[in-house]
Amino acid sequence: MSEKFSISPGGEEFPIPGPGEYKVEFERLQKMVAKEREKGREIVVVMGVGFVGAVMAAIVADSVDKVTGQSSKFVIGMQRPSIRSYWKIPLLNRGVSPVKAEDPEVDPMIARCVKEKKTLIATYTYDVLKLADVVVVDVQCDYIKNELSNVRNGQTDMAALEASLHEIAKRIPAEALVLIETTVAPGTTEQVAYPIMKKIFRKRGIETDPLLAHSYERVMPGRNYVASIRDFWRVCSGINETARQRVEKFLKEVLNTEDYPLTVMDRPIESETAKIIENSYRATILAFLDEWSLFAERNGVDLIKVINAIRVRPTHSNMIFPGPGIGGYCLPKDGGLGVWSYKHILGFEDDIFKITPMSIDINDTRGLHVGQLT
Ligand SMILES: NC(=O)c1ccc[n+]([C@@H]2O[C@H](COP(=O)([O-])OP(=O)(O)OC[C@H]3O[C@@H](n4cnc5c(N)ncnc54)[C@H](O)[C@@H]3O)[C@@H](O)[C@H]2O)c1
């Protein structure tokens, strides 16, 4: 049988681990974790070392106990050994960031945690979950659009998230905290993740409830990538009082919550909805300004001048200019997750949404208009 490879963006080939390698890998992890526990460190597994997960993993690994100044977390990034993504693991284990960022803090932070502090490694085996005190879920949850400018005709694709939750529930210790950071359709933590995990827990003979929490990422790729995770306000919630207390404690230990206080919500659907409204709000303003930019273009009005004049008024000081592209990965999909969830998770048959889907549909073709102008 021919060996399969995963090729990094730099062109290096990494052979995909074979079935015989998993046992050795897990034994390696067990030994490392035993040593880390002796140092009193908590074991944090970050699932999905993509754009968000890789940097979140490094931030947790770089954090220190706020009293002793010592590292109190040992972080293991976990990624499936797929042909597309496996290369991220050997690169991370060398101290090389699997994501390329403009922020000069990313590369040295990952190198420091892997090579000097020795608080960050990566693996491909799901069995690492057996060793976790905390699992941070940073896998994607997509919204598939079937046509341009018709967000209603799309659907949420939570296959990666559901698969991750199954693997987590099958392996984690009953008392491990599972923190979902993925942007999800509102209701997912309570109505999708909780039943999946509870069913598997019961099959394993675990009578307690999974300690599930949700806290969404507000990360902004760019020069302040790390700061937009670590030095930024967070919203969090837990499925019950214990989960809420655990997530609050964890985030306070790893993020700069002294300067950027946490907002703790009562239920996960509240923090999930906060994320969706946050991005739908921005998408709506951008769509609203799209039509005024057309008005301005056709009448020789300088829209930037107009917006700057309006922004002097304190109530309108954060007005934004509609740029060429709309919101990268998140703004074109997040409102769709909300509209979809109202029907498919929360079970309503009426149609209350007008502005959110219309905004996403308008934004879908903004880039084409900008292309026409150039
Ligand atoms: N990128 C951003 O700027 C941004 C900002 C805010 C929020 N978010 C949200 O954060 C989440 C993650 O986004 P991202 O940009 O990091 O996505 P990404 O695609 O870069 O990363 C997801 C990673 O998860 C891995 N993965 C998928 N299934 C897995 C499984 N079963 N086990 C282990 N790993 C698995 C993938 O291989 C990939 O590396 C999304 O919900 C996104 O909406 C992203």
Side-chain angles (χ1 to χ4, degrees):
M1 208 180 77
S2 69
E3 205 168 15
K4 287 185 183 154
F5 291 93
S6 172
I7 304 175
S8 72
E12 195 176 349
E13 289 184 350
F14 295 97
I16 304 279
E21 290 173 65
Y22 282 72
K23 191 168 168 278
V24 179
E25 172 70 352
F26 185 55
E27 284 166 4
R28 175 182 85 98
L29 295 169
Q30 276 178 309
K31 279 190 202 132
M32 285 182 113
V33 162
K35 279 195 193 143
E36 296 303 325
R37 284 205 194 286
E38 273 173 27
K39 294 179 201 159
R41 289 181 178 164
E42 196 172 39
I43 310 302
V44 180
V45 173
V46 177
M47 279 192 93
V49 285
F51 218 78
V52 176
V55 180
M56 179 63 185
I59 286 172
V60 178
D62 202 39
S63 67
V64 291
D65 184 293
K66 289 173 184 171
V67 179
T68 64
Q70 300 294 311
S71 300
S72 62
K73 314 278 179 225
F74 183 69
V75 182
I76 310 176
M78 193 269 146
Q79 181 74 45
R80 293 163 305 169
S82 63
I83 290 183
R84 207 170 61 134
S85 300
Y86 172 66
W87 57 268
K88 294 179 191 174
I89 296 165
L91 277 196
L92 245 176
N93 281 330
R94 279 183 201 164
V96 177
S97 170
V99 293
K100 285 295 149 242
E102 249 182 276
D103 185 345
E105 220 189 317
V106 174
D107 289 345
M109 184 185 212
I110 289 183
R112 177 170 68 242
C113 291
V114 175
K115 295 200 278 204
E116 289 166 36
K117 292 182 153 189
K118 300 201 186 300
T119 49
L120 176 63
I121 61 162
T123 187
Y124 52 85
T125 175
Y126 281 123
D127 280 347
V128 69
L129 291 160
K130 294 178 183 168
L131 309 171
D133 298 310
V134 177
V135 181
V136 179
V137 183
D138 276 320
V139 306
Q140 71 276 22
C141 173
D142 290 320
Y143 188 81
I144 311 293
K145 289 181 185 170
N146 294 311
E147 52 192 318
L148 205 58
S149 291
N150 189 359
V151 71
R152 287 177 190 280
N153 185 19
Q155 66 279 332
T156 299
D157 173 9
M158 55 171 100
L161 180 65
E162 284 185 287
S164 304
L165 293 165
H166 275 98
E167 302 300 341
I168 292 168
K170 280 193 264 178
R171 293 173 175 85
I172 52 165
E175 63 285 357
L177 172 71
V178 178
L179 166 57
I180 299 175
E181 290 199 331
T182 302
T183 302
V184 293
T188 298
T189 304
E190 284 152 284
Q191 300 202 35
V192 180
Y194 176 71
I196 288 177
M197 293 193 61
K198 186 173 167 178
K199 198 169 160 198
I200 297 173
F201 264 31
R202 294 295 176 267
K203 269 195 200 158
R204 289 175 59 194
I206 300 172
E207 286 309 316
T208 52
D209 276 349
L211 293 177
L212 264 165
H214 181 260
S215 175
Y216 60 90
E217 277 292 355
R218 283 171 163 158
V219 53
M220 284 172 292
R223 282 197 66 79
N224 298 317
Y225 189 6
V226 171
S228 74
I229 297 181
R230 186 191 52 209
D231 307 308
F232 211 68
W233 299 270
R234 271 281 184 131
V235 178
C236 69
S237 59
I239 203 132
N240 55 32
E241 188 52 34
T242 313
R244 205 176 306 128
Q245 284 172 5
R246 286 279 301 276
V247 71
E248 206 180 330
K249 178 174 177 290
F250 176 70
L251 292 175
K252 282 185 173 164
E253 285 167 352
V254 299
L255 304 178
N256 178 5
T257 53
E258 290 81 19
D259 297 324
Y260 301 90
L262 271 179
T263 304
V264 186
M265 309 291 263
D266 294 320
R267 290 178 57 200
I269 195 171
E270 294 170 343
S271 72
E272 293 166 338
T273 305
K275 171 69 185 185
I276 299 299
I277 296 182
E278 217 168 279
N279 278 353
S280 299
Y281 172 73
R282 206 162 168 85
T284 302
I285 305 281
L286 288 165
F288 164 74
L289 282 164
D290 174 67
E291 64 198 28
W292 285 107
S293 82
L294 298 185
F295 174 90
E297 277 160 29
R298 288 173 193 180
N299 292 288
V301 172
D302 181 342
L303 189 62
I304 295 187
K305 222 154 102 191
V306 169
I307 288 177
N308 284 338
I310 297 170
R311 287 170 80 163
V312 173
R313 185 181 164 170
T315 52
H316 292 52
S317 61
N318 64 355
M319 202 169 192
I320 46 178
F321 184 78
I326 302 295
Y329 173 38
C330 294
L331 261 57
K333 73 170 169 63
D334 287 356
L337 293 173
V339 173
W340 180 90
S341 133
Y342 182 70
K343 229 180 216 167
H344 298 283
I345 295 185
L346 304 167
F348 289 91
E349 286 177 2
D350 60 339
D351 188 4
I352 54 170
F353 288 104
K354 292 183 182 64
I355 294 170
T356 298
M358 191 194 287
S359 305
I360 292 178
D361 291 347
I362 291 169
N363 293 338
D364 267 356
T365 52
R366 172 77 188 168
L368 300 178
H369 171 67
V370 174
Q372 279 170 348
L373 286 180
T374 52

Short mmCIF file of all heavy atoms in Angstrom, two decimals, residues 47-53 78-80 84-85 88 126 138-141 160 163-164 181-183 217-221 275 329-330 333-334, ligand 1:
data_model
loop_
_atom_site.label_atom_id
_atom_site.label_comp_id
_atom_site.label_asym_id
_atom_site.label_seq_id
_atom_site.Cartn_x
_atom_site.Cartn_y
_atom_site.Cartn_z
N MET A 47 -9.22 21.31 20.61
CA MET A 47 -9.60 20.54 19.41
C MET A 47 -9.77 21.46 18.23
O MET A 47 -10.60 22.37 18.26
CB MET A 47 -10.90 19.80 19.64
CG MET A 47 -10.68 18.52 20.40
SD MET A 47 -12.15 17.55 20.34
CE MET A 47 -11.85 16.54 18.92
N GLY A 48 -8.98 21.22 17.18
CA GLY A 48 -9.04 22.06 15.99
C GLY A 48 -7.97 23.12 16.09
O GLY A 48 -8.17 24.14 16.76
N VAL A 49 -6.79 22.86 15.49
CA VAL A 49 -5.73 23.88 15.54
C VAL A 49 -5.73 24.67 14.23
O VAL A 49 -4.74 24.72 13.52
CB VAL A 49 -4.34 23.30 15.91
CG1 VAL A 49 -4.29 22.97 17.38
CG2 VAL A 49 -3.98 22.06 15.09
N GLY A 50 -6.87 25.28 13.94
CA GLY A 50 -7.01 26.13 12.76
C GLY A 50 -6.68 27.56 13.11
O GLY A 50 -5.87 27.84 14.01
N PHE A 51 -7.34 28.47 12.45
CA PHE A 51 -7.07 29.89 12.59
C PHE A 51 -7.25 30.36 14.04
O PHE A 51 -6.44 31.10 14.57
CB PHE A 51 -8.02 30.65 11.68
CG PHE A 51 -7.36 31.81 11.07
CD1 PHE A 51 -6.50 31.64 9.99
CD2 PHE A 51 -7.54 33.08 11.59
CE1 PHE A 51 -5.83 32.71 9.45
CE2 PHE A 51 -6.88 34.16 11.05
CZ PHE A 51 -6.03 33.98 9.97
N VAL A 52 -8.32 29.91 14.68
CA VAL A 52 -8.60 30.34 16.05
C VAL A 52 -7.90 29.42 17.05
O VAL A 52 -7.21 29.88 17.97
CB VAL A 52 -10.13 30.35 16.32
CG1 VAL A 52 -10.41 30.70 17.76
CG2 VAL A 52 -10.83 31.33 15.39
N GLY A 53 -8.05 28.11 16.87
CA GLY A 53 -7.55 27.14 17.85
C GLY A 53 -6.05 27.21 18.07
O GLY A 53 -5.59 27.10 19.21
N MET A 78 -5.13 19.34 19.28
CA MET A 78 -5.52 18.07 18.66
C MET A 78 -6.14 18.34 17.30
O MET A 78 -6.98 19.23 17.15
CB MET A 78 -6.51 17.35 19.57
CG MET A 78 -6.77 15.91 19.21
SD MET A 78 -8.15 15.77 18.08
CE MET A 78 -7.64 14.39 17.10
N GLN A 79 -5.70 17.58 16.33
CA GLN A 79 -6.15 17.78 14.96
C GLN A 79 -6.27 16.41 14.31
O GLN A 79 -5.42 15.56 14.55
CB GLN A 79 -5.06 18.61 14.27
CG GLN A 79 -5.31 18.97 12.86
CD GLN A 79 -6.36 20.04 12.75
OE1 GLN A 79 -6.34 21.01 13.48
NE2 GLN A 79 -7.28 19.85 11.85
N ARG A 80 -7.29 16.21 13.51
CA ARG A 80 -7.41 14.90 12.84
C ARG A 80 -6.25 14.73 11.85
O ARG A 80 -5.83 15.69 11.22
CB ARG A 80 -8.72 14.82 12.03
CG ARG A 80 -9.94 14.82 12.88
CD ARG A 80 -11.13 15.15 12.03
NE ARG A 80 -10.92 16.42 11.33
CZ ARG A 80 -11.69 16.89 10.37
NH1 ARG A 80 -12.73 16.20 9.97
NH2 ARG A 80 -11.44 18.05 9.79
N ARG A 84 -5.44 16.78 4.38
CA ARG A 84 -5.49 18.24 4.29
C ARG A 84 -4.84 18.94 5.49
O ARG A 84 -4.23 19.99 5.36
CB ARG A 84 -6.95 18.67 4.15
CG ARG A 84 -7.12 19.98 3.43
CD ARG A 84 -8.56 20.21 3.12
NE ARG A 84 -9.33 20.27 4.36
CZ ARG A 84 -10.23 21.19 4.62
NH1 ARG A 84 -10.48 22.11 3.75
NH2 ARG A 84 -10.90 21.17 5.75
N SER A 85 -5.01 18.35 6.69
CA SER A 85 -4.63 19.10 7.90
C SER A 85 -3.53 18.51 8.75
O SER A 85 -3.04 19.17 9.66
CB SER A 85 -5.85 19.26 8.82
OG SER A 85 -6.87 19.93 8.17
N LYS A 88 -0.21 20.21 10.22
CA LYS A 88 -0.19 21.21 11.30
C LYS A 88 0.43 20.64 12.58
O LYS A 88 1.02 21.37 13.38
CB LYS A 88 -1.63 21.66 11.63
CG LYS A 88 -2.30 22.42 10.49
CD LYS A 88 -3.72 22.80 10.86
CE LYS A 88 -4.49 23.33 9.67
NZ LYS A 88 -5.90 23.57 9.97
N TYR A 126 -7.36 11.06 19.10
CA TYR A 126 -8.49 11.47 19.93
C TYR A 126 -8.34 10.97 21.37
O TYR A 126 -8.93 11.53 22.29
CB TYR A 126 -9.80 10.91 19.36
CG TYR A 126 -10.36 11.67 18.18
CD1 TYR A 126 -10.61 11.03 16.96
CD2 TYR A 126 -10.69 13.01 18.28
CE1 TYR A 126 -11.15 11.72 15.88
CE2 TYR A 126 -11.23 13.71 17.21
CZ TYR A 126 -11.45 13.06 16.01
OH TYR A 126 -11.99 13.74 14.95
N ASP A 138 -12.52 24.27 19.05
CA ASP A 138 -12.35 25.35 18.06
C ASP A 138 -12.46 24.80 16.65
O ASP A 138 -11.74 25.23 15.76
CB ASP A 138 -11.00 26.05 18.27
CG ASP A 138 -11.09 27.12 19.35
OD1 ASP A 138 -12.11 27.82 19.39
OD2 ASP A 138 -10.14 27.23 20.15
N VAL A 139 -13.35 23.84 16.45
CA VAL A 139 -13.56 23.33 15.09
C VAL A 139 -14.57 24.26 14.39
O VAL A 139 -15.23 25.07 15.03
CB VAL A 139 -14.05 21.86 15.07
CG1 VAL A 139 -13.12 20.97 15.87
CG2 VAL A 139 -15.46 21.73 15.59
N GLN A 140 -14.69 24.10 13.10
CA GLN A 140 -15.59 24.99 12.36
C GLN A 140 -17.05 24.52 12.43
O GLN A 140 -17.31 23.35 12.65
CB GLN A 140 -15.14 25.09 10.89
CG GLN A 140 -15.38 23.83 10.07
CD GLN A 140 -14.26 22.78 10.21
OE1 GLN A 140 -13.52 22.77 11.19
NE2 GLN A 140 -14.17 21.88 9.24
N CYS A 141 -17.97 25.44 12.24
CA CYS A 141 -19.39 25.10 12.04
C CYS A 141 -19.80 25.99 10.87
O CYS A 141 -19.86 27.21 11.00
CB CYS A 141 -20.20 25.41 13.28
SG CYS A 141 -21.97 25.22 13.06
N ALA A 160 -18.62 18.65 11.50
CA ALA A 160 -17.32 18.60 12.20
C ALA A 160 -17.53 18.77 13.71
O ALA A 160 -16.90 18.09 14.52
CB ALA A 160 -16.40 19.70 11.68
N ALA A 163 -19.18 15.58 15.12
CA ALA A 163 -18.20 14.48 15.18
C ALA A 163 -17.26 14.71 16.37
O ALA A 163 -16.96 13.78 17.12
CB ALA A 163 -17.40 14.45 13.87
N SER A 164 -16.85 15.96 16.57
CA SER A 164 -15.95 16.27 17.69
C SER A 164 -16.62 15.96 19.03
O SER A 164 -16.00 15.39 19.93
CB SER A 164 -15.54 17.73 17.69
OG SER A 164 -14.96 18.06 16.47
N GLU A 181 -16.05 27.03 21.72
CA GLU A 181 -15.77 28.40 21.29
C GLU A 181 -16.28 28.64 19.87
O GLU A 181 -16.31 29.78 19.41
CB GLU A 181 -14.27 28.68 21.34
CG GLU A 181 -13.74 28.74 22.76
CD GLU A 181 -12.40 29.45 22.84
OE1 GLU A 181 -11.63 29.42 21.87
OE2 GLU A 181 -12.14 30.04 23.88
N THR A 182 -16.58 27.55 19.19
CA THR A 182 -17.10 27.64 17.82
C THR A 182 -18.34 28.54 17.78
O THR A 182 -19.16 28.50 18.70
CB THR A 182 -17.49 26.22 17.35
OG1 THR A 182 -16.33 25.40 17.46
CG2 THR A 182 -18.02 26.20 15.95
N THR A 183 -18.46 29.33 16.71
CA THR A 183 -19.68 30.10 16.51
C THR A 183 -20.76 29.12 16.05
O THR A 183 -20.60 28.47 15.02
CB THR A 183 -19.48 31.17 15.41
OG1 THR A 183 -18.39 32.00 15.81
CG2 THR A 183 -20.73 32.01 15.22
N GLU A 217 -15.52 33.33 20.26
CA GLU A 217 -14.31 34.06 19.92
C GLU A 217 -14.66 35.36 19.22
O GLU A 217 -15.53 35.39 18.35
CB GLU A 217 -13.46 33.22 18.96
CG GLU A 217 -12.61 32.20 19.66
CD GLU A 217 -11.50 32.81 20.49
OE1 GLU A 217 -11.31 34.04 20.46
OE2 GLU A 217 -10.82 32.04 21.19
N ARG A 218 -13.94 36.42 19.57
CA ARG A 218 -14.10 37.70 18.86
C ARG A 218 -12.82 38.02 18.11
O ARG A 218 -12.55 39.18 17.78
CB ARG A 218 -14.39 38.81 19.86
CG ARG A 218 -15.82 38.78 20.36
CD ARG A 218 -16.00 39.75 21.50
NE ARG A 218 -17.39 40.04 21.74
CZ ARG A 218 -17.86 40.50 22.90
NH1 ARG A 218 -17.05 40.68 23.92
NH2 ARG A 218 -19.14 40.77 23.03
N VAL A 219 -12.02 36.98 17.87
CA VAL A 219 -10.70 37.17 17.27
C VAL A 219 -10.79 37.94 15.96
O VAL A 219 -11.68 37.70 15.15
CB VAL A 219 -9.99 35.81 17.08
CG1 VAL A 219 -10.83 34.84 16.33
CG2 VAL A 219 -8.65 35.96 16.40
N MET A 220 -9.84 38.87 15.80
CA MET A 220 -9.76 39.63 14.56
C MET A 220 -8.40 39.41 13.93
O MET A 220 -7.39 39.89 14.45
CB MET A 220 -9.98 41.12 14.84
CG MET A 220 -11.44 41.44 15.08
SD MET A 220 -11.68 43.11 15.63
CE MET A 220 -10.96 43.12 17.25
N PRO A 221 -8.37 38.61 12.86
CA PRO A 221 -7.08 38.39 12.20
C PRO A 221 -6.49 39.73 11.78
O PRO A 221 -7.23 40.63 11.40
CB PRO A 221 -7.45 37.54 10.98
CG PRO A 221 -8.80 36.98 11.28
CD PRO A 221 -9.48 37.98 12.15
N LYS A 275 -23.28 36.33 20.01
CA LYS A 275 -22.33 36.27 18.89
C LYS A 275 -23.03 36.50 17.55
O LYS A 275 -22.56 37.26 16.69
CB LYS A 275 -21.64 34.91 18.88
CG LYS A 275 -20.79 34.63 17.66
CD LYS A 275 -19.54 35.50 17.63
CE LYS A 275 -18.75 35.30 16.34
NZ LYS A 275 -17.51 36.03 16.33
N TYR A 329 -14.68 35.23 6.92
CA TYR A 329 -15.37 33.94 7.09
C TYR A 329 -16.70 34.10 7.84
O TYR A 329 -17.67 33.38 7.58
CB TYR A 329 -14.40 33.03 7.85
CG TYR A 329 -14.90 31.68 8.30
CD1 TYR A 329 -15.75 30.91 7.50
CD2 TYR A 329 -14.49 31.14 9.53
CE1 TYR A 329 -16.18 29.65 7.92
CE2 TYR A 329 -14.91 29.89 9.95
CZ TYR A 329 -15.76 29.15 9.14
OH TYR A 329 -16.18 27.92 9.56
N CYS A 330 -16.76 35.08 8.75
CA CYS A 330 -17.86 35.06 9.73
C CYS A 330 -19.12 35.84 9.32
O CYS A 330 -20.23 35.32 9.45
CB CYS A 330 -17.35 35.55 11.07
SG CYS A 330 -16.14 34.39 11.77
N LYS A 333 -21.86 34.28 7.10
CA LYS A 333 -22.56 33.08 7.52
C LYS A 333 -23.31 33.20 8.84
O LYS A 333 -24.30 32.52 9.06
CB LYS A 333 -21.59 31.89 7.62
CG LYS A 333 -20.65 31.96 8.81
CD LYS A 333 -19.87 30.66 9.02
CE LYS A 333 -18.76 30.83 10.03
NZ LYS A 333 -19.14 31.17 11.40
N ASP A 334 -22.83 34.07 9.76
CA ASP A 334 -23.33 34.00 11.12
C ASP A 334 -24.83 34.30 11.25
O ASP A 334 -25.54 33.62 11.99
CB ASP A 334 -22.48 34.88 12.05
CG ASP A 334 -21.11 34.25 12.31
OD1 ASP A 334 -20.87 33.12 11.83
OD2 ASP A 334 -20.28 34.89 12.98
N1 LIG B 1 -11.39 33.05 11.72
C1 LIG B 1 -11.91 34.06 12.39
O1 LIG B 1 -11.54 35.21 12.21
C2 LIG B 1 -12.98 33.83 13.44
C3 LIG B 1 -13.39 34.90 14.26
C4 LIG B 1 -14.34 34.66 15.26
C5 LIG B 1 -14.90 33.39 15.37
N2 LIG B 1 -14.50 32.38 14.53
C6 LIG B 1 -15.14 31.08 14.68
O2 LIG B 1 -14.19 30.15 15.23
C7 LIG B 1 -14.47 28.84 14.74
C8 LIG B 1 -13.23 28.23 14.13
O3 LIG B 1 -12.85 29.03 13.01
P1 LIG B 1 -11.42 28.92 12.31
O4 LIG B 1 -11.29 30.14 11.46
O5 LIG B 1 -10.37 28.60 13.32
O6 LIG B 1 -11.65 27.62 11.38
P2 LIG B 1 -10.54 26.70 10.72
O7 LIG B 1 -11.22 25.99 9.61
O8 LIG B 1 -9.28 27.49 10.46
O9 LIG B 1 -10.19 25.65 11.87
C9 LIG B 1 -10.98 24.59 12.27
C10 LIG B 1 -10.03 23.43 12.55
O10 LIG B 1 -10.76 22.37 13.13
C11 LIG B 1 -10.27 21.15 12.60
N3 LIG B 1 -11.24 20.07 12.81
C12 LIG B 1 -12.42 19.87 12.18
N4 LIG B 1 -13.03 18.78 12.66
C13 LIG B 1 -12.23 18.29 13.63
C14 LIG B 1 -12.32 17.16 14.50
N5 LIG B 1 -13.35 16.32 14.45
N6 LIG B 1 -11.31 16.94 15.37
C15 LIG B 1 -10.24 17.77 15.41
N7 LIG B 1 -10.10 18.84 14.61
C16 LIG B 1 -11.08 19.10 13.74
C17 LIG B 1 -10.01 21.49 11.14
O11 LIG B 1 -9.16 20.57 10.50
C18 LIG B 1 -9.40 22.89 11.25
O12 LIG B 1 -8.00 22.89 11.42
C19 LIG B 1 -15.63 29.01 13.74
O13 LIG B 1 -16.83 28.73 14.40
C20 LIG B 1 -15.57 30.47 13.37
O14 LIG B 1 -16.82 30.96 12.95
C21 LIG B 1 -13.55 32.56 13.58
#
